[in-house]
Amino acid sequence: QKEVEQDPGPLSVPEGAIVSLNCTYSNSAFQYFMWYRQYSRKGPELLMYTYSSGNKEDGRFTAQVDKSSKYISLFIRDSQPSDSATYLCAMTYTGRRALTFGSGTRLQVQP
Amino acid sequence: GAVVSQHPSRVICKSGTSVKIECRSLDFQATTMFWYRQFPKQSLMLMATSNEGSKATYEQGVEKDKFLINHASLTLSTLTVTSAHPEDSSFYICSAYHSMNTEAFFGQGTRLTVV
């Protein structure tokens, strides 16, 4: 079993839709949770960084962490074609700076 | 924000040759850098942790003699793929932490194709 599970998609939505991306994890030691956006053949770009359970909002993006269920989500409101990319969840814990990534979800926002 | 530069962005080499990939932190010092490998439509898999002035720490299953890592300064880590074979073809990405925060910055990646 992988430490971090993420539905690979692809996920296709119309412009303006609300997108929900999710990851589950098995290692209860994970404390820090991140969402990265990766365009084709580019390095990942950090979107959201959360530590505790609950919600964190930044513009059109909301990150949600439920440690009791070992489940994290990223919501994108008013999705745009420029949001089309692969979204990777990543996580780590105190004392470990390397990240454990999910497999990534490919998102396509149709104009 | 902090910038990590990776070079080259794309390289094609013949089987049996060696290829060096550079990862530089442009505006901060990084005592630790990380090298990841990404196969098509798959996640980033940690290969090794590069420590300035000391030996790299390799993940299980990664051949240290094949993937040579050197971190000779606080702003530069290099990954050399020795005696490359077609199965080494992949996307290699480095990351570094600014010592003042907990955010990892990633390079733009290197697409290696071994023919």
Side-chain angles (χ1 to χ4, degrees):
Chain A
Q1 182 190 7
K2 292 181 183 177
E3 277 194 296
V4 181
E5 297 278 359
Q6 185 176 6
D7 187 336
L11 179 62
S12 183
V13 300
E15 184 176 354
I18 297 175
V19 175
S20 172
L21 304 166
N22 312 294
C23 287
T24 59
Y25 61 95
S26 57
N27 188 347
S28 58
F30 286 134
Q31 300 169 288
Y32 304 93
F33 305 92
M34 288 135 273
W35 285 95
Y36 285 86
R37 177 173 62 197
Q38 185 178 28
Y39 292 109
S40 181
R41 304 186 182 205
K42 301 290 184 184
E45 169 195 9
L46 181 67
L47 286 176
M48 298 288 283
Y49 179 100
T50 54
Y51 170 65
S52 58
S53 283
N55 293 352
K56 181 177 180 180
E57 189 173 319
D58 185 0
R60 296 186 295 114
F61 299 93
T62 300
Q64 195 172 75
V65 174
D66 182 348
K67 288 186 177 180
S68 63
S69 301
K70 299 189 182 68
Y71 186 88
I72 68 171
S73 300
L74 177 71
F75 298 96
I76 306 174
R77 290 183 298 281
D78 188 24
S79 56
Q80 302 295 311
S82 58
D83 294 328
S84 299
T86 296
Y87 290 80
L88 297 152
C89 63
M91 46 198 80
T92 189
Y93 48 82
T94 300
R96 174 176 166 83
R97 292 198 129 188
L99 301 178
T100 301
F101 283 87
S103 57
T105 299
R106 191 154 56 92
L107 171 68
Q108 184 71 38
V109 180
Q110 305 292 342
Chain B
V3 177
V4 175
S5 177
Q6 193 172 335
H7 178 80
S9 59
R10 180 177 294 189
V11 58
I12 300 173
C13 71
K14 290 185 177 180
S15 187
T17 62
S18 296
V19 174
K20 180 184 284 188
I21 303 169
E22 292 187 348
C23 179
R24 293 182 184 272
S25 55
L26 295 186
D27 53 358
F28 66 100
Q29 294 183 333
T31 56
T32 304
M33 293 185 177
F34 301 92
W35 287 96
Y36 294 84
R37 182 174 180 175
Q38 186 178 32
F39 290 106
K41 298 184 180 181
Q42 294 189 27
S43 186
L44 281 75
M45 298 299 295
L46 180 67
M47 297 176 65
T49 302
S50 173
N51 305 298
E52 187 269 334
S54 64
K55 290 183 179 180
T57 305
Y58 291 83
E59 295 299 297
Q60 190 174 9
V62 177
E63 300 175 60
K64 61 180 69 175
D65 294 330
K66 180 166 192 60
F67 298 100
L68 300 180
I69 291 173
N70 184 279
H71 195 155
S73 77
L74 286 170
T75 59
L76 174 64
S77 175
T78 61
L79 168 68
T80 301
V81 183
T82 63
S83 187
H85 291 283
E87 57 265 30
D88 298 325
S89 299
S90 187
F91 193 56
Y92 294 87
I93 308 176
C94 68
S95 77
Y97 278 91
H98 191 300
S99 61
M100 298 301 292
N101 61 38
T102 53
E103 177 180 344
F105 295 96
F106 284 82
Q108 57 267 58
T110 297
R111 171 80 52 193
L112 170 63
T113 303
V114 184
V115 297

